[in-house]
Amino acid sequence: MDYAAQTIDLHKYYFLGDHTVKALRGVSVDFPHGDFVAIMGSSGSGKSTLLNLLGGLDRPTQGNYIVGGYDVSELDDFELSAIRNELIGFIFQSYNLIAQFSVLENIQVPLNYRAGRPPIRRGDVDRCIDLACEVGLEDRLDHRPYQLSGGQQQRVAIARALVNDPAIILADEPTGNLDSATSREIMDLLLGLNEQGRTIIMVTHEQDVAEQSKRQIFMKDGLIAGEGVFPG
């Protein structure tokens, strides 16, 4: 089977003076192309640490993480940055939009970090406009984040995550700051992206949100404690 990503005996330790925090203690999990996984667990279970490693935002202490055919442990910082920009899209609970940028400018941000830093051209702008339309923001292109609702800001974040056409979307509590109705709208967007073939890996503490994924991974004490499969 061809995988979008794999972890093999992944460990992550944090050294705090004489104390060692073992955030991950040997996690092996496969993410096939087109998967939609919800990672769950209590605070301190390791789920956020795992998501950071999957996003190339941190490096494992031990073990292997393979994404796009590359073993992250063998990449230098420049190569890892390029892989992160080209293969992975990020959606955060707090949106992480740039306050002084418009909707369109926020969607464009990842384009500024492409390999070789090519200039943003008309075709790039058109793609950003198309993505804004896809997430229902065609009439908000010039708005700033403070002029948008929480759900609209998350829609901007989703469009931004898609701008480089990533193979994997990582979503960290994407509905955590939203009311129930808006959460359903955001999940409908993510489910639609998954139906298009996108691989989505999502951390959530909300059971009703997790059950909309194809499978759940439960983490405890830095290990995978169990897995559930749901129709999708």
Side-chain angles (χ1 to χ4, degrees), residues 14-21:
Y14 296 98
F15 302 99
L16 307 175
D18 294 332
H19 184 58
T20 300
V21 177

Side-chain angles (χ1 to χ4, degrees), residues 13-130:
Y13 301 162
Y14 296 98
F15 302 99
L16 307 175
D18 294 332
H19 184 58
T20 300
V21 177
K22 296 183 177 182
L24 295 181
R25 300 190 292 119
V27 172
S28 298
V29 61
D30 299 328
F31 301 98
H33 285 288
D35 207 356
F36 189 166
V37 182
I39 301 174
M40 303 189 73
S42 61
S43 178
S45 64
K47 61 185 187 298
S48 294
T49 299
L50 177 59
L51 200 71
N52 285 339
L53 292 177
L54 293 174
L57 300 175
D58 203 352
R59 292 178 180 272
T61 305
Q62 178 183 322
N64 302 91
Y65 169 40
I66 299 169
V67 59
Y70 298 93
D71 188 335
V72 167
S73 64
E74 298 177 354
L75 302 179
D76 61 28
D77 288 345
F78 178 81
E79 292 168 330
L80 180 57
S81 178
I83 291 295
R84 188 166 55 234
N85 187 251
E86 294 169 10
L87 296 182
I88 301 170
F90 296 89
I91 303 170
F92 302 97
Q93 179 178 355
S94 56
Y95 322 129
N96 286 9
L97 303 181
I98 299 175
Q100 63 268 33
F101 280 13
S102 68
V103 164
L104 184 58
E105 290 167 335
N106 268 288
I107 295 172
Q108 291 175 358
V109 164
L111 299 176
N112 296 311
Y113 298 95
R114 292 176 294 184
R117 303 289 177 94
I120 295 177
R121 303 188 184 278
R122 183 67 238 180
D124 297 320
V125 176
D126 289 343
R127 171 165 171 73
C128 292
I129 293 173
D130 288 344

Side-chain angles (χ1 to χ4, degrees), residues 8 59 69 118 123 136 139 141-143 145 166 191 199 218:
I8 303 167
R59 292 178 180 272
D139 58 347
L141 294 178
D142 295 326
H143 285 59
L191 288 165
T199 302
F218 304 92

